[in-house]
Amino acid sequence: MHNPEHPYKIIVMGGSAGSFSVVSGILSKLNPNFKIPILLSLHRLKHVRSGLSEGLSLNSKIKVLEPNDKEKIEPNRVYLAPSNYHMFIEIDGSIALSTEESHNHSRPSIDYTLMSAAYVYREKALGILLTGANKDGAKGLKSIADHRGYTIVQDPVTCDIDTMPKSALQLFCPDEILSPTEIVQFLNSLQP
């Protein structure tokens, strides 16, 4: 179980195919006063600029927004990587957006967001990898583990497409393998 001596300062959740309904379900069941900022890196259509954040906002008890470049990360917020942008965390706790080349055929790249969280927050980072159809996110989640952060992989049997979580499981052993319901219970246990 997580170490209460090291409360997490950031949560990065990544997913691809099938992840919208999982993320929507998680956000709908989180405590409304959940303070730890959540960064979402979800594979999405490049040329569809809106709809995803609005869809997630419908059931979320926490404000969901697409950040601007250099926006400071605030508590009790969910930051969704904008369409066709990589989302990084800067050392000063702000968000950097980039249009660098696609990584694993994806922009935003889950790996990039997770790796930047690992670098900035080290053992205070919590990474969660959800259902998806490619390997993006596996190396990034391992980077969180390598920096002594906490790692959760969605149980492949609960995934629409299990390529993404299985890719992580082939690389390393995460701290937890949980169903979406168990992920919600875990997150809500992090604070009173």
Short mmCIF file of all heavy atoms in Angstrom, two decimals, residues 82-132:
data_model
loop_
_atom_site.label_atom_id
_atom_site.label_comp_id
_atom_site.label_asym_id
_atom_site.label_seq_id
_atom_site.Cartn_x
_atom_site.Cartn_y
_atom_site.Cartn_z
N PRO A 82 -4.09 19.16 -24.07
CA PRO A 82 -4.86 19.59 -25.24
C PRO A 82 -4.57 18.72 -26.46
O PRO A 82 -3.51 18.12 -26.57
CB PRO A 82 -4.38 21.04 -25.47
CG PRO A 82 -3.76 21.46 -24.19
CD PRO A 82 -3.20 20.22 -23.58
N SER A 83 -5.51 18.69 -27.36
CA SER A 83 -5.37 17.94 -28.60
C SER A 83 -4.11 18.36 -29.35
O SER A 83 -3.85 19.55 -29.53
CB SER A 83 -6.61 18.20 -29.48
OG SER A 83 -6.45 17.59 -30.73
N ASN A 84 -3.31 17.36 -29.74
CA ASN A 84 -2.13 17.56 -30.57
C ASN A 84 -0.98 18.29 -29.87
O ASN A 84 -0.11 18.87 -30.53
CB ASN A 84 -2.51 18.29 -31.87
CG ASN A 84 -1.72 17.77 -33.06
OD1 ASN A 84 -1.14 16.69 -33.02
ND2 ASN A 84 -1.71 18.54 -34.12
N TYR A 85 -0.97 18.27 -28.54
CA TYR A 85 0.13 18.85 -27.77
C TYR A 85 0.66 17.83 -26.76
O TYR A 85 -0.13 17.17 -26.07
CB TYR A 85 -0.32 20.09 -26.97
CG TYR A 85 -0.51 21.32 -27.79
CD1 TYR A 85 -1.74 21.60 -28.37
CD2 TYR A 85 0.53 22.21 -28.00
CE1 TYR A 85 -1.94 22.73 -29.14
CE2 TYR A 85 0.34 23.36 -28.76
CZ TYR A 85 -0.89 23.61 -29.33
OH TYR A 85 -1.08 24.73 -30.08
N HIS A 86 1.99 17.75 -26.64
CA HIS A 86 2.58 17.04 -25.52
C HIS A 86 2.45 17.93 -24.29
O HIS A 86 2.54 19.16 -24.39
CB HIS A 86 4.06 16.74 -25.77
CG HIS A 86 4.32 15.82 -26.91
ND1 HIS A 86 3.74 14.57 -27.00
CD2 HIS A 86 5.12 15.96 -28.00
CE1 HIS A 86 4.18 13.98 -28.10
NE2 HIS A 86 5.00 14.80 -28.73
N MET A 87 2.26 17.33 -23.11
CA MET A 87 2.14 18.09 -21.87
C MET A 87 3.24 17.64 -20.91
O MET A 87 3.31 16.47 -20.53
CB MET A 87 0.75 17.88 -21.25
CG MET A 87 0.52 18.68 -19.98
SD MET A 87 -1.23 18.68 -19.45
CE MET A 87 -1.50 16.94 -19.05
N PHE A 88 4.10 18.60 -20.55
CA PHE A 88 5.20 18.35 -19.61
C PHE A 88 4.97 19.14 -18.33
O PHE A 88 4.26 20.15 -18.34
CB PHE A 88 6.54 18.82 -20.21
CG PHE A 88 6.96 18.11 -21.45
CD1 PHE A 88 6.55 18.57 -22.70
CD2 PHE A 88 7.79 17.00 -21.39
CE1 PHE A 88 6.95 17.93 -23.87
CE2 PHE A 88 8.20 16.36 -22.55
CZ PHE A 88 7.78 16.82 -23.78
N ILE A 89 5.62 18.71 -17.26
CA ILE A 89 5.63 19.49 -16.01
C ILE A 89 7.01 20.12 -15.89
O ILE A 89 8.03 19.44 -16.00
CB ILE A 89 5.35 18.60 -14.79
CG1 ILE A 89 4.01 17.87 -14.95
CG2 ILE A 89 5.37 19.43 -13.51
CD1 ILE A 89 3.79 16.77 -13.93
N GLU A 90 7.03 21.43 -15.66
CA GLU A 90 8.29 22.15 -15.47
C GLU A 90 8.71 22.08 -14.01
O GLU A 90 7.89 21.85 -13.12
CB GLU A 90 8.12 23.62 -15.89
CG GLU A 90 7.73 23.81 -17.34
CD GLU A 90 8.92 23.78 -18.29
OE1 GLU A 90 9.97 23.20 -17.93
OE2 GLU A 90 8.79 24.32 -19.38
N ILE A 91 9.99 22.35 -13.76
CA ILE A 91 10.55 22.28 -12.40
C ILE A 91 9.87 23.28 -11.45
O ILE A 91 9.82 23.07 -10.25
CB ILE A 91 12.08 22.46 -12.45
CG1 ILE A 91 12.75 21.83 -11.24
CG2 ILE A 91 12.47 23.90 -12.63
CD1 ILE A 91 12.92 20.35 -11.32
N ASP A 92 9.30 24.37 -12.01
CA ASP A 92 8.65 25.38 -11.16
C ASP A 92 7.17 25.06 -10.89
O ASP A 92 6.45 25.87 -10.32
CB ASP A 92 8.78 26.77 -11.79
CG ASP A 92 8.01 26.91 -13.10
OD1 ASP A 92 7.45 25.90 -13.59
OD2 ASP A 92 7.98 28.04 -13.64
N GLY A 93 6.72 23.86 -11.31
CA GLY A 93 5.34 23.47 -11.05
C GLY A 93 4.34 24.05 -12.05
O GLY A 93 3.15 24.13 -11.77
N SER A 94 4.84 24.42 -13.23
CA SER A 94 3.93 24.89 -14.28
C SER A 94 3.88 23.83 -15.38
O SER A 94 4.67 22.88 -15.39
CB SER A 94 4.39 26.24 -14.84
OG SER A 94 5.64 26.10 -15.49
N ILE A 95 2.95 24.01 -16.30
CA ILE A 95 2.76 23.08 -17.41
C ILE A 95 3.39 23.67 -18.67
O ILE A 95 3.25 24.86 -18.94
CB ILE A 95 1.26 22.82 -17.63
CG1 ILE A 95 0.72 21.96 -16.48
CG2 ILE A 95 1.00 22.15 -18.98
CD1 ILE A 95 -0.77 21.78 -16.46
N ALA A 96 4.12 22.83 -19.38
CA ALA A 96 4.67 23.24 -20.68
C ALA A 96 4.00 22.40 -21.76
O ALA A 96 3.87 21.18 -21.63
CB ALA A 96 6.18 23.02 -20.70
N LEU A 97 3.55 23.07 -22.81
CA LEU A 97 2.94 22.39 -23.95
C LEU A 97 3.91 22.44 -25.13
O LEU A 97 4.60 23.43 -25.32
CB LEU A 97 1.62 23.06 -24.33
CG LEU A 97 0.55 23.09 -23.24
CD1 LEU A 97 -0.68 23.85 -23.71
CD2 LEU A 97 0.17 21.68 -22.80
N SER A 98 3.95 21.36 -25.89
CA SER A 98 4.92 21.25 -26.97
C SER A 98 4.30 20.55 -28.17
O SER A 98 3.46 19.67 -28.02
CB SER A 98 6.13 20.46 -26.45
OG SER A 98 6.82 19.85 -27.50
N THR A 99 4.76 20.94 -29.35
CA THR A 99 4.33 20.28 -30.59
C THR A 99 5.49 19.49 -31.20
O THR A 99 5.56 19.33 -32.42
CB THR A 99 3.79 21.30 -31.61
OG1 THR A 99 4.78 22.30 -31.83
CG2 THR A 99 2.51 21.93 -31.11
N GLU A 100 6.39 18.99 -30.35
CA GLU A 100 7.46 18.11 -30.85
C GLU A 100 6.84 16.94 -31.59
O GLU A 100 5.66 16.67 -31.48
CB GLU A 100 8.29 17.59 -29.67
CG GLU A 100 9.14 18.62 -28.98
CD GLU A 100 9.76 18.07 -27.72
OE1 GLU A 100 10.28 16.94 -27.74
OE2 GLU A 100 9.72 18.78 -26.70
N GLU A 101 7.71 16.20 -32.29
CA GLU A 101 7.25 15.03 -33.05
C GLU A 101 6.43 14.08 -32.18
O GLU A 101 6.64 14.01 -30.96
CB GLU A 101 8.46 14.28 -33.60
CG GLU A 101 9.17 14.99 -34.74
CD GLU A 101 8.28 15.18 -35.95
OE1 GLU A 101 7.65 14.21 -36.40
OE2 GLU A 101 8.19 16.33 -36.43
N SER A 102 5.54 13.34 -32.81
CA SER A 102 4.77 12.32 -32.09
C SER A 102 5.71 11.29 -31.47
O SER A 102 6.79 11.05 -31.98
CB SER A 102 3.82 11.61 -33.06
OG SER A 102 2.85 12.49 -33.53
N HIS A 103 5.27 10.72 -30.38
CA HIS A 103 6.02 9.67 -29.68
C HIS A 103 5.09 8.46 -29.60
O HIS A 103 3.96 8.59 -29.14
CB HIS A 103 6.42 10.16 -28.29
CG HIS A 103 7.06 9.12 -27.43
ND1 HIS A 103 8.34 8.66 -27.64
CD2 HIS A 103 6.60 8.43 -26.36
CE1 HIS A 103 8.63 7.73 -26.74
NE2 HIS A 103 7.58 7.59 -25.95
N ASN A 104 5.57 7.29 -30.04
CA ASN A 104 4.70 6.11 -30.13
C ASN A 104 3.43 6.43 -30.91
O ASN A 104 2.33 6.05 -30.53
CB ASN A 104 4.32 5.59 -28.73
CG ASN A 104 5.40 4.75 -28.12
OD1 ASN A 104 6.12 4.03 -28.81
ND2 ASN A 104 5.54 4.82 -26.81
N HIS A 105 3.59 7.19 -31.98
CA HIS A 105 2.48 7.59 -32.87
C HIS A 105 1.46 8.48 -32.15
O HIS A 105 0.31 8.54 -32.58
CB HIS A 105 1.78 6.36 -33.47
CG HIS A 105 2.72 5.36 -34.04
ND1 HIS A 105 3.43 5.58 -35.20
CD2 HIS A 105 3.11 4.14 -33.60
CE1 HIS A 105 4.19 4.54 -35.45
NE2 HIS A 105 4.03 3.65 -34.51
N SER A 106 1.86 9.11 -31.06
CA SER A 106 0.88 9.85 -30.26
C SER A 106 1.40 11.24 -29.87
O SER A 106 2.56 11.42 -29.52
CB SER A 106 0.57 9.08 -28.97
OG SER A 106 0.11 7.79 -29.27
N ARG A 107 0.52 12.19 -29.94
CA ARG A 107 0.72 13.53 -29.37
C ARG A 107 -0.64 14.00 -28.91
O ARG A 107 -1.48 14.28 -29.76
CB ARG A 107 1.33 14.47 -30.42
CG ARG A 107 1.75 15.80 -29.81
CD ARG A 107 2.58 16.65 -30.76
NE ARG A 107 1.80 17.03 -31.93
CZ ARG A 107 2.32 17.36 -33.11
NH1 ARG A 107 3.62 17.34 -33.30
NH2 ARG A 107 1.53 17.71 -34.11
N PRO A 108 -0.91 14.00 -27.61
CA PRO A 108 0.04 13.95 -26.50
C PRO A 108 0.61 12.55 -26.25
O PRO A 108 -0.05 11.55 -26.50
CB PRO A 108 -0.80 14.39 -25.30
CG PRO A 108 -2.19 13.99 -25.64
CD PRO A 108 -2.31 14.16 -27.14
N SER A 109 1.84 12.56 -25.73
CA SER A 109 2.49 11.32 -25.32
C SER A 109 2.33 11.12 -23.82
O SER A 109 2.64 12.02 -23.03
CB SER A 109 3.98 11.38 -25.65
OG SER A 109 4.69 10.41 -24.91
N ILE A 110 1.83 9.97 -23.44
CA ILE A 110 1.69 9.63 -22.02
C ILE A 110 3.08 9.49 -21.39
O ILE A 110 3.32 9.96 -20.27
CB ILE A 110 0.87 8.33 -21.85
CG1 ILE A 110 -0.52 8.50 -22.46
CG2 ILE A 110 0.76 7.94 -20.37
CD1 ILE A 110 -1.26 7.19 -22.67
N ASP A 111 4.01 8.86 -22.12
CA ASP A 111 5.38 8.71 -21.61
C ASP A 111 5.96 10.06 -21.20
O ASP A 111 6.55 10.19 -20.12
CB ASP A 111 6.30 8.10 -22.69
CG ASP A 111 6.24 6.58 -22.74
OD1 ASP A 111 5.88 5.95 -21.72
OD2 ASP A 111 6.58 6.01 -23.80
N TYR A 112 5.83 11.07 -22.05
CA TYR A 112 6.44 12.37 -21.77
C TYR A 112 5.88 12.99 -20.49
O TYR A 112 6.63 13.53 -19.68
CB TYR A 112 6.23 13.32 -22.95
CG TYR A 112 7.07 13.03 -24.18
CD1 TYR A 112 6.86 13.72 -25.35
CD2 TYR A 112 8.06 12.04 -24.18
CE1 TYR A 112 7.61 13.48 -26.50
CE2 TYR A 112 8.82 11.79 -25.31
CZ TYR A 112 8.59 12.50 -26.47
OH TYR A 112 9.34 12.26 -27.59
N THR A 113 4.57 12.92 -20.33
CA THR A 113 3.98 13.52 -19.12
C THR A 113 4.43 12.77 -17.87
O THR A 113 4.81 13.38 -16.87
CB THR A 113 2.43 13.54 -19.22
OG1 THR A 113 2.04 14.14 -20.45
CG2 THR A 113 1.82 14.32 -18.07
N LEU A 114 4.41 11.43 -17.94
CA LEU A 114 4.85 10.63 -16.79
C LEU A 114 6.33 10.87 -16.48
O LEU A 114 6.71 11.02 -15.30
CB LEU A 114 4.61 9.15 -17.06
CG LEU A 114 3.16 8.66 -16.96
CD1 LEU A 114 3.00 7.29 -17.61
CD2 LEU A 114 2.71 8.60 -15.51
N MET A 115 7.17 10.91 -17.50
CA MET A 115 8.60 11.11 -17.28
C MET A 115 8.89 12.47 -16.65
O MET A 115 9.74 12.58 -15.76
CB MET A 115 9.38 10.95 -18.59
CG MET A 115 9.48 9.52 -19.06
SD MET A 115 10.24 9.44 -20.72
CE MET A 115 10.28 7.66 -20.98
N SER A 116 8.19 13.50 -17.09
CA SER A 116 8.41 14.82 -16.50
C SER A 116 7.93 14.85 -15.05
O SER A 116 8.58 15.46 -14.19
CB SER A 116 7.75 15.92 -17.34
OG SER A 116 6.35 15.87 -17.29
N ALA A 117 6.83 14.16 -14.75
CA ALA A 117 6.36 14.08 -13.36
C ALA A 117 7.39 13.35 -12.49
O ALA A 117 7.66 13.75 -11.35
CB ALA A 117 5.01 13.36 -13.29
N ALA A 118 7.97 12.28 -13.03
CA ALA A 118 8.98 11.52 -12.29
C ALA A 118 10.19 12.41 -11.98
O ALA A 118 10.71 12.41 -10.87
CB ALA A 118 9.42 10.29 -13.10
N TYR A 119 10.61 13.18 -12.97
CA TYR A 119 11.79 14.03 -12.82
C TYR A 119 11.54 15.15 -11.79
O TYR A 119 12.38 15.42 -10.94
CB TYR A 119 12.17 14.63 -14.17
CG TYR A 119 13.34 15.56 -14.10
CD1 TYR A 119 14.64 15.06 -13.94
CD2 TYR A 119 13.16 16.94 -14.16
CE1 TYR A 119 15.73 15.93 -13.86
CE2 TYR A 119 14.24 17.81 -14.09
CZ TYR A 119 15.52 17.31 -13.93
OH TYR A 119 16.59 18.17 -13.83
N VAL A 120 10.38 15.79 -11.87
CA VAL A 120 10.09 16.93 -11.00
C VAL A 120 9.68 16.49 -9.59
O VAL A 120 10.13 17.05 -8.60
CB VAL A 120 8.99 17.83 -11.63
CG1 VAL A 120 8.54 18.92 -10.65
CG2 VAL A 120 9.49 18.45 -12.93
N TYR A 121 8.81 15.47 -9.50
CA TYR A 121 8.20 15.14 -8.20
C TYR A 121 8.81 13.91 -7.53
O TYR A 121 8.52 13.66 -6.35
CB TYR A 121 6.69 14.95 -8.37
CG TYR A 121 5.97 16.24 -8.64
CD1 TYR A 121 5.66 16.63 -9.94
CD2 TYR A 121 5.62 17.09 -7.60
CE1 TYR A 121 5.01 17.82 -10.20
CE2 TYR A 121 4.96 18.29 -7.85
CZ TYR A 121 4.66 18.64 -9.15
OH TYR A 121 4.00 19.83 -9.39
N ARG A 122 9.58 13.11 -8.27
CA ARG A 122 10.26 11.94 -7.73
C ARG A 122 9.31 11.04 -6.92
O ARG A 122 8.32 10.57 -7.43
CB ARG A 122 11.50 12.36 -6.94
CG ARG A 122 12.38 13.31 -7.76
CD ARG A 122 13.71 13.60 -7.18
NE ARG A 122 14.64 12.48 -7.23
CZ ARG A 122 15.31 12.09 -8.31
NH1 ARG A 122 15.13 12.71 -9.46
NH2 ARG A 122 16.14 11.08 -8.26
N GLU A 123 9.59 10.82 -5.61
CA GLU A 123 8.76 9.90 -4.82
C GLU A 123 7.39 10.47 -4.48
O GLU A 123 6.53 9.76 -3.95
CB GLU A 123 9.49 9.47 -3.53
CG GLU A 123 9.53 10.51 -2.44
CD GLU A 123 10.64 11.54 -2.59
OE1 GLU A 123 11.40 11.47 -3.60
OE2 GLU A 123 10.75 12.41 -1.71
N LYS A 124 7.16 11.73 -4.80
CA LYS A 124 5.86 12.36 -4.55
C LYS A 124 4.92 12.24 -5.75
O LYS A 124 3.84 12.83 -5.76
CB LYS A 124 6.03 13.84 -4.21
CG LYS A 124 7.03 14.12 -3.11
CD LYS A 124 6.45 13.95 -1.76
CE LYS A 124 7.42 14.44 -0.69
NZ LYS A 124 6.97 14.12 0.62
N ALA A 125 5.35 11.50 -6.79
CA ALA A 125 4.53 11.33 -8.00
C ALA A 125 3.78 10.01 -7.96
O ALA A 125 4.31 8.99 -7.51
CB ALA A 125 5.40 11.39 -9.25
N LEU A 126 2.55 10.04 -8.43
CA LEU A 126 1.72 8.84 -8.54
C LEU A 126 1.30 8.72 -10.00
O LEU A 126 0.69 9.63 -10.56
CB LEU A 126 0.49 8.97 -7.64
CG LEU A 126 -0.64 7.95 -7.78
CD1 LEU A 126 -0.15 6.53 -7.54
CD2 LEU A 126 -1.78 8.26 -6.82
N GLY A 127 1.67 7.61 -10.63
CA GLY A 127 1.33 7.38 -12.02
C GLY A 127 0.32 6.26 -12.17
O GLY A 127 0.42 5.23 -11.49
N ILE A 128 -0.66 6.46 -13.05
CA ILE A 128 -1.71 5.47 -13.29
C ILE A 128 -1.83 5.26 -14.80
O ILE A 128 -2.04 6.22 -15.54
CB ILE A 128 -3.06 5.94 -12.71
CG1 ILE A 128 -2.94 6.23 -11.22
CG2 ILE A 128 -4.15 4.89 -12.98
CD1 ILE A 128 -4.18 6.88 -10.60
N LEU A 129 -1.71 4.01 -15.24
CA LEU A 129 -1.83 3.69 -16.66
C LEU A 129 -3.09 2.86 -16.88
O LEU A 129 -3.28 1.82 -16.24
CB LEU A 129 -0.58 2.93 -17.14
CG LEU A 129 -0.41 2.82 -18.65
CD1 LEU A 129 -0.34 4.20 -19.31
CD2 LEU A 129 0.85 2.02 -18.97
N LEU A 130 -3.92 3.33 -17.80
CA LEU A 130 -5.23 2.73 -18.03
C LEU A 130 -5.26 1.97 -19.36
O LEU A 130 -4.25 1.82 -20.03
CB LEU A 130 -6.30 3.83 -18.03
CG LEU A 130 -6.36 4.70 -16.77
CD1 LEU A 130 -7.30 5.88 -16.98
CD2 LEU A 130 -6.78 3.88 -15.56
N THR A 131 -6.43 1.52 -19.72
CA THR A 131 -6.67 0.79 -20.97
C THR A 131 -6.14 1.55 -22.17
O THR A 131 -6.18 2.78 -22.21
CB THR A 131 -8.19 0.51 -21.13
OG1 THR A 131 -8.42 -0.16 -22.36
CG2 THR A 131 -9.01 1.77 -21.09
N GLY A 132 -5.63 0.81 -23.16
CA GLY A 132 -5.12 1.46 -24.36
C GLY A 132 -4.55 0.48 -25.36
O GLY A 132 -4.27 -0.67 -25.02
#
